[in-house]
C-alpha cells in the first residue's frame, strides 16, 4: 500500500528510495478505470433514495449521477448526464419504464437499461427483450439481485468497449497497410 498515491494493486517504481538506501521500493497500486454513470428512474422518491444509498455503487465500478421521477424527466436529463446504465421502474405516471427503454434503444443504443417491476407480466418481458433491456428485476428485490443485474450491464459495456477498441485498431492497421 503506497500512502503517497493511495492506490493498492499496481507496481509503482516511482515510490522513492527505502530508508536503508538499498534500491527502489516497489509498491502495489490499483489501476482505476472511470466509474460507470448510473441514472435511477422511479416515481417514488423513497425507492430512488433507497437505491441511491442502499447499494455500494463504487464497489461495482459505478456512480449514481442522476435521478428522475419518470421517463419524461429522465429523457430531459439524458443528453446532459449521458449515463451508461439506466435503472427504471416499469410503471410510472407520464412516460413508463418500457417506453423509456424504447426511447433509449432508439436514441442512445449504447445505454444499458435495467427494469424494476412488481408485475411479472410476460408481455412486459417481451417488450423489454425487444428493447435489449439487460435485466428485468422483480420487486421486491434484494441487493444481491440488483447487484447481479448491474454487474451484467457492466460486463456488456466492457465487452462493447473492447470490441470498439479492436475495431479501431484494425481500421488503423488497415489504413497503414493501404498507405
Amino acid at each position: 500500500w503506497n500512502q503517497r498515491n493511495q492506490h493498492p494493486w499496481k507496481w509503482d517504481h516511482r515510490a522513492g528510495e527505502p530508508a536503508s538506501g538499498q534500491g527502489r521500493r516497489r509498491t502495489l497500486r490499483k489501476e482505476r478505470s472511470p466509474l460507470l454513470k448510473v441514472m435511477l428512474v422511479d416515481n417514488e422518491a423513497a425507492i430512488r433514495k433507497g437505491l441511491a444509498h442502499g447499494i455500494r455503487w463504487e464497489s461495482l465500478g459505478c456512480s449514481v449521477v442522476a435521478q428522475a421521477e419518470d421517463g419524461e424527466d429522465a429523457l430531459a436529463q439524458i443528453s446532459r448526464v449521458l449515463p451508461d446504465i439506466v435503472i427504471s421502474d416499469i410503471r410510472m405516471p407520464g412516460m413508463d419504464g418500457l417506453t423509456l427503454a424504447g426511447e433509449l434503444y432508439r436514441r442512445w443504443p449504447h445505454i444499458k437499461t435495467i427494469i424494476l417491476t412488481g408485475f411479472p407480466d410476460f408481455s412486459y418481458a417481451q417488450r423489454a427483450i425487444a428493447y435489449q433491456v439487460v435485466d428485468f428485476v422483480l420487486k421486491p428485490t434484494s441487493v444481491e439481485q440488483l447487484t447481479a443485474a448491474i454487474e451484467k450491464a457492466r460486463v456488456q459495456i466492457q465487452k462493447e468497449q473492447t470490441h470498439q477498441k479492436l475495431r479501431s485498431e484494425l481500421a488503423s492497421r488497415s489504413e497503414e497497410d493501404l498507405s
Side-chain angles (χ1 to χ4, degrees), residues 92-113:
M92 299 175 287
M95 183 185 291
D96 68 22
L98 281 178
T99 305
L100 172 61
E103 285 297 313
L104 294 175
Y105 176 70
R106 283 186 281 284
R107 295 163 65 179
W108 297 281
H110 66 281
I111 295 176
K112 303 301 172 205
T113 306

Side-chain angles (χ1 to χ4, degrees), residues 109-128:
H110 66 281
I111 295 176
K112 303 301 172 205
T113 306
I114 297 170
I115 295 288
L116 300 174
T117 183
F119 307 95
D121 187 323
F122 185 67
S123 65
Y124 286 156
Q126 285 180 309
R127 284 180 59 201

